[in-house]
Amino acid sequence: MLYSFALSCKLKAAAGSLQSRFCPRFTRAASQTKFPLSRTHGKSFVHRSELKHAKRIVVKLGSAVVTRGDECGLALGRLASIVEQVSVLQNQGREMMIVTSGAVAFGKQRLRHEILLSQSVRQALHSGQNQLKEMSVPVLEARACAAAGQSGLMALYEAMFTQYSICAAQILVTNLDFHDDQKRRNLNSTLHELLRMNIVPIVNTNDAVVPPPEPNSDLQGVNVISIKDNDSLAARLAVEMKADLLIALSDVEGLYDLPPGSDDAKLIDIFYPGDQQSITFGTKSRVGIGGMEAKVKSALWALQGGTSVVIANGTDPKVTGHVITDIVEGKKVGTFFSEVKPAGPTVEQQAEMARSRGRTLSSLLPQQRAEIICHLADLLTEQKEDILAANKKDLEVAISGGRLSQPLLKRLSLSPSKLNSLSIGLRQIAVSSQDSVGRVIRRTRIANNLELEQITVPIGVLLVIFESRPDCLPQVSALAIASGNALLLKGGKEASNTNQILHRLTQEALSIHGVKDAVQLVSTREEVEDLCRLNQLIDLIIPRGSSHLVRDIQRAAKGIPVLGHSEGVCHVYIDQEASIEKVIKIIRDSKCEYPAACNAMETLLVHRDLLRSPLFDQIIDMLRVEQVKIHAGPKFASYLTFSPSEVKSLRTEYGDLECCIEVVDSMQDAIDHIHKYGSSHTDVIVTENEETAEYFLQHLDSACVFWNSSSRFSDGYRFGLGAEVGISTARIHARGPVGLEGLLTTKWVLRGDGHTVADFSEQGSMKYLHENIAVTHRTSS
């Protein structure tokens, strides 16, 4: 076997020298490994989320990943990005190995250059003039290119890894090296020694001497595999070295059920042994001798040998910079090979089922959708004991774990009164659903016998992600049913028992009209970020939870609109003409009734003239009695000799019995402050001056603006919407508490009688009328 370690002497004989000359961080890395010891090898990981525990990882770089589009030379930018990711993982204490292509392409570039240079010199000598004839490059033999390119390829890897204080060593192998027991033991020993010394092995087939691949019947068992390409080499190496994970990078996103580019081709998220019959393979990539079929066979062979496998895209500039690290973090990238098939459907299958049944749901009569919601309302009261028993289990787990704060425990808790209120709210939704889907908004006569309608329709498939609020599940389900939308629900694990029974009851209600699958509860290990990438299956994301959750979803959503607000920094402004009685009631209710709510007051703005008044003293006394911690704004602190702790930020959402007090000089100053530091959620003015109040209501740009009323009224149920899917601070589509109307969009319906645009040209026989027609029938004909 040929070994070219790119080091100056034999490995074991010069171990000390190598450590000092090439790997200054060897001693620290070997003795202070940041990553836990490798798991017992033998079984592959079952779920993507387990990939973060992979210690020994093989990264296979396909020819299409390493080479440029012209196949002459290397894609240096991609290669540098891959080396950076491998280095990051290596420095975490993992053991990284690379199986690389590229020697042929690198050698082809060098040989082409040498041939062109040689031809130009000969032509110049023979012609005696500077003008050269057009030169042609002969077809270059692959083995010669490999021989010319191997040293340059390795030198490039060495230079790149040196930037991260990591050593690399080259190993060239052929098929014979794995079939000869002694050579295989030597190879195994050398690789283990390199890994022990924190060196990244760069493995490649010795293409300068390897014979052409011959068809055979390998890949049929764990003990037989021929090294015909780098796919089979990577699989054999991964199993031989008991690697935890093999990442095969190619020029496609992963494995498709049809050749990529086909109209109906779908990316397969998880591939199981035995699914090969459902796959139609296309042609291989533009370079290399393997193809997707070879990758799948090699991946299944490695999986059978106990190594997990992910096939992903290593050429897309949008993901190349983080594809390897994303895979190791367990993100949904490429195709993950698993031996264990889950009992239930995948989230993609759930979304497709929901969309299909959702279309049936939207075509039901309004009375039928109302019947479903009323039946769900009945089930909430009839199955009250079972629901509360499941909720008690969740509360016991949450309390024993100590992970949830008191406000979150309050959100998690259900009670008979909460269930009764839920049932009442659902019946309100049922009544309002009678005139929702298919409602005619506008009707226009374009011309004689040509009429246009604009009608309401469902948005499609909604994804609602919620934390610690199981009562959200029936509310949102009822709104989705009323608006004819399909629904995917992702609840927090802290409410898993309660969510499961509430979802079961929801599907039981849907079953009375045959649309059980229109509402799905995602119970797999899907991360929220992965769900946000399903832009082909989901039409709108609605987060219900902390500002941290909402911000994360807004960042993660890829091409899917997000309806929600990231923070609820709500203000109450006390004008100098405010009533003492109203002020105390409104502040107490806005801050203390439910401090964890997004519509709770977080900042109290006080007019400067009230600072040393009895009213201000009463406000402070009330907040102290209610045990509200006060933070002083900069202006308020400047008026005090001994002030409370000064606020760190005027944009803080406390979500607890805390608030900021700040002083403003005028009502306009209050408006300016809210525009600068608020979150456009809900803001309140307390005053007896109607003119001042109306100016505030008209000029403050928030989703909800109130006069002499608590900020806690900003709620779908209190607005008479029956319930809400959330509160939106966006400016497009829906704003404020979003109920049934916010889950509808519109479409245009045109009814004609053989009309064409040519009929309305200068030479045509028809004229546009554009007459508005009174909407007498509320639903489309």
Side-chain angles (χ1 to χ4, degrees):
M1 178 172 53
L2 173 61
Y3 296 94
S4 173
F5 290 98
L7 300 172
S8 59
C9 53
K10 292 184 179 178
L11 185 61
K12 294 183 180 178
S17 173
L18 287 174
Q19 292 169 20
S20 61
R21 290 173 55 199
F22 292 101
C23 299
R25 58 184 295 280
F26 165 74
T27 304
R28 174 177 60 83
S31 60
Q32 298 180 357
T33 300
K34 304 176 189 175
F35 201 79
L37 293 175
S38 181
R39 67 194 178 96
T40 302
H41 189 81
K43 285 195 174 182
S44 58
F45 294 119
V46 175
H47 303 286
R48 282 184 185 269
S49 59
E50 298 171 338
L51 295 180
K52 59 179 173 285
H53 301 302
K55 177 174 175 62
R56 185 168 292 172
I57 302 172
V58 176
V59 178
K60 182 264 176 181
L61 307 180
S63 301
V65 176
V66 176
T67 58
R68 296 192 321 224
D70 61 5
E71 302 176 24
C72 290
L74 303 179
L76 297 179
R78 279 201 296 267
L79 204 56
S81 174
I82 289 166
V83 166
E84 180 181 12
Q85 293 172 78
V86 170
S87 300
V88 167
L89 296 173
Q90 181 82 3
N91 286 330
Q92 288 176 359
R94 304 179 198 263
E95 296 174 343
M96 305 299 296
M97 293 180 280
I98 293 178
V99 175
T100 182
S101 302
V104 173
F106 196 81
K108 185 184 292 187
Q109 182 185 34
R110 292 181 63 183
L111 293 180
R112 280 169 62 95
H113 177 76
E114 292 297 327
I115 291 170
L116 290 173
L117 181 62
S118 176
Q119 287 181 349
S120 65
V121 170
R122 284 200 303 270
Q123 283 190 24
L125 289 173
H126 290 302
S127 62
Q129 52 189 349
N130 292 330
Q131 189 169 3
L132 302 177
K133 299 176 183 177
E134 185 177 343
M135 295 175 289
S136 61
V137 179
V139 176
L140 299 173
E141 205 272 332
R143 292 192 190 89
C145 292
Q150 282 165 355
S151 60
L153 177 65
M154 188 58 207
L156 186 62
Y157 273 117
E158 277 192 315
M160 288 181 173
F161 275 113
T162 299
Q163 303 302 310
Y164 304 96
S165 301
I166 291 175
C167 293
Q170 184 181 32
I171 296 181
L172 298 174
V173 299
T174 67
N175 200 26
L176 297 175
D177 298 320
F178 287 96
H179 289 284
D180 183 289
D181 289 342
Q182 184 59 48
K183 289 182 177 180
R184 192 171 73 252
R185 283 194 293 269
N186 290 344
L187 173 61
N188 193 293
S189 172
T190 301
L191 287 169
H192 276 93
E193 184 69 5
L194 291 172
L195 294 176
R196 186 188 68 80
M197 294 176 63
N198 203 44
I199 295 172
V200 176
I202 310 291
V203 185
N204 194 2
T205 53
N206 190 358
D207 293 327
V209 299
V210 70
E214 296 179 4
N216 56 35
S217 57
D218 65 350
L219 298 164
Q220 299 301 314
V222 175
N223 298 318
V224 183
I225 183 171
S226 295
I227 308 304
K228 298 188 293 186
D229 50 43
N230 276 347
D231 296 310
S232 52
L233 170 60
R236 182 64 189 257
L237 182 72
V239 172
E240 188 78 27
M241 292 298 295
K242 295 182 171 57
D244 300 311
L245 174 61
L246 166 59
I247 299 174
L249 297 183
S250 182
D251 56 353
V252 291
E253 281 69 20
L255 181 59
Y256 287 80
D257 56 355
L258 294 171
S262 303
D263 288 341
D264 298 323
K266 293 179 182 177
L267 180 65
I268 298 172
D269 172 38
I270 305 177
F271 188 79
Y272 306 97
D275 285 354
Q276 298 97 305
Q277 287 73 25
S278 62
I279 305 299
T280 302
F281 293 103
T283 58
K284 68 182 186 69
S285 64
R286 59 179 170 79
V287 290
I289 60 175
M292 187 53 73
E293 187 170 8
K295 289 175 177 58
V296 171
K297 287 183 178 180
S298 298
L300 291 174
W301 191 89
L303 187 69
Q304 192 178 2
T307 297
S308 296
V309 183
V310 175
I311 296 177
N313 192 334
T315 62
D316 186 347
K318 294 180 181 178
V319 300
T320 301
H322 47 82
V323 61
I324 298 173
T325 51
D326 279 355
I327 289 170
V328 175
E329 288 171 10
K331 295 181 181 178
K332 188 174 283 190
V333 179
T335 299
F336 172 61
F337 286 71
S338 175
E339 289 190 291
V340 180
K341 207 161 192 173
T346 65
V347 68
E348 290 85 359
Q349 291 169 335
Q350 284 186 292
E352 289 173 353
M353 286 190 293
R355 186 181 292 280
S356 174
R357 291 295 90 192
R359 286 172 177 149
T360 306
L361 175 68
S362 66
S363 67
L364 294 178
L365 295 173
Q367 303 95 292
Q368 293 175 307
R369 288 192 292 271
E371 285 172 9
I372 293 172
I373 299 168
C374 288
H375 188 44
L376 177 57
D378 292 338
L379 289 171
L380 290 179
T381 53
E382 292 170 8
Q383 304 288 327
K384 186 187 332 182
E385 298 303 322
D386 291 342
I387 296 170
L388 294 176
N391 187 243
K392 184 181 178 182
K393 286 182 184 178
D394 289 329
L395 284 168
E396 288 172 351
V397 171
I399 292 169
S400 63
R403 299 189 311 272
L404 296 184
S405 63
Q406 201 59 40
L408 288 179
L409 284 173
K410 188 176 178 182
R411 285 186 179 186
L412 176 61
S413 175
L414 290 180
S415 64
S417 60
K418 264 191 180 182
L419 291 176
N420 288 334
S421 296
L422 269 176
S423 183
I424 294 169
L426 262 56
R427 295 183 190 282
Q428 289 180 345
I429 295 171
V431 172
S432 62
S433 70
Q434 298 286 341
D435 188 24
S436 56
V437 180
R439 186 177 77 253
V440 178
I441 295 175
R442 180 184 305 168
R443 185 174 283 140
T444 305
R445 181 175 290 110
I446 304 296
N448 289 329
N449 295 321
L450 185 63
E451 292 188 2
L452 178 69
E453 285 182 346
Q454 185 183 19
I455 64 173
T456 57
V457 294
I459 289 174
V461 178
L462 313 177
L463 168 62
V464 177
I465 303 169
F466 56 100
E467 294 177 321
S468 305
R469 292 190 60 174
D471 56 332
C472 172
L473 193 152
Q475 286 180 337
V476 173
S477 296
L479 286 170
I481 294 165
S483 57
N485 284 290
L487 180 62
L488 285 179
L489 293 157
K490 174 69 172 175
K493 61 183 178 182
E494 65 279 355
S496 60
N497 292 297
T498 316
N499 288 337
Q500 284 172 14
I501 188 169
L502 290 173
H503 177 249
R504 179 173 60 78
L505 297 178
T506 302
Q507 290 203 318
E508 184 177 332
L510 287 162
S511 297
I512 66 174
H513 287 297
V515 287
K516 172 186 173 183
D517 291 331
V519 176
Q520 299 279 335
L521 179 65
V522 179
S523 55
T524 60
R525 297 193 180 195
E526 243 70 31
E527 297 292 335
V528 168
E529 186 173 340
D530 293 328
L531 292 172
C532 292
R533 292 174 177 169
L534 301 177
N535 60 319
Q536 300 298 317
L537 299 171
I538 295 169
D539 299 300
L540 179 67
I541 301 174
I542 304 171
R544 295 287 304 270
S546 65
S547 58
H548 178 72
L549 169 74
V550 178
R551 281 195 301 269
D552 283 349
I553 290 171
Q554 288 172 333
R555 279 194 297 265
K558 304 296 183 184
I560 309 174
V562 178
L563 188 151
H565 64 281
S566 58
E567 290 172 317
V569 184
C570 302
H571 296 73
V572 174
Y573 164 58
I574 309 301
D575 186 59
Q576 76 264 40
E577 298 182 64
S579 157
I580 293 179
E581 182 183 352
K582 292 177 184 176
V583 165
I584 300 301
K585 282 182 63 181
I586 289 171
I587 294 176
R588 179 186 284 115
D589 192 75
S590 295
K591 179 71 256 185
C592 308
E593 196 268 340
Y594 191 4
C598 63
N599 56 14
M601 181 195 80
E602 303 294 2
T603 298
L604 176 64
L605 299 177
V606 181
H607 192 283
R608 179 184 58 191
D609 295 347
L610 297 176
L611 262 187
R612 291 179 172 85
S613 68
L615 170 59
F616 185 73
D617 293 339
Q618 288 186 43
I619 292 171
I620 299 299
D621 289 343
M622 181 273 293
L623 291 174
R624 283 175 178 163
V625 170
E626 296 290 344
Q627 297 183 327
V628 177
K629 183 178 180 180
I630 296 172
H631 302 275
K635 282 188 180 180
F636 180 42
S638 69
Y639 283 93
L640 305 173
T641 306
F642 300 101
S643 70
S645 62
E646 190 167 337
V647 69
K648 294 180 180 178
S649 169
L650 290 168
R651 294 188 175 92
T652 301
E653 181 182 16
Y654 298 99
D656 208 340
L657 286 172
E658 295 181 65
C659 74
C660 167
I661 297 180
E662 182 58 313
V663 175
V664 291
D665 296 331
S666 64
M667 183 260 292
Q668 185 60 52
D669 193 18
I671 291 174
D672 292 341
H673 177 101
I674 294 170
H675 283 162
K676 185 173 182 179
Y677 298 109
S679 60
S680 301
H681 191 295
T682 300
D683 299 291
V684 177
I685 182 172
V686 184
T687 184
E688 295 303 301
N689 188 315
E690 183 176 354
E691 184 179 347
T692 300
E694 287 300 328
Y695 186 92
F696 185 90
L697 296 177
Q698 296 301 320
H699 288 80
L700 186 66
D701 186 18
S702 293
C704 299
V705 190
F706 299 163
W707 172 26
N708 285 351
S709 52
S710 168
S711 63
R712 295 278 290 119
F713 278 105
S714 180
D715 175 84
Y717 176 76
R718 298 183 182 109
F719 276 15
L721 306 178
E724 66 184 32
V725 292
I727 294 179
S728 172
T729 55
R731 299 176 187 278
I732 296 174
H733 178 62
R735 203 168 185 217
V738 180
L740 181 57
E741 292 293 322
L743 299 181
L744 296 170
T745 184
T746 63
K747 73 176 179 181
W748 297 90
V749 176
L750 183 65
R751 296 181 176 89
D753 187 21
H755 294 76
T756 66
V757 171
D759 294 335
F760 297 86
S761 65
E762 289 184 7
Q763 294 78 28
S765 59
M766 303 194 75
K767 300 291 183 184
Y768 287 111
L769 299 177
H770 293 148
E771 297 173 354
N772 290 328
I773 304 173
V775 179
T776 53
H777 298 288
R778 297 285 290 171
T779 55
S780 174
S781 57

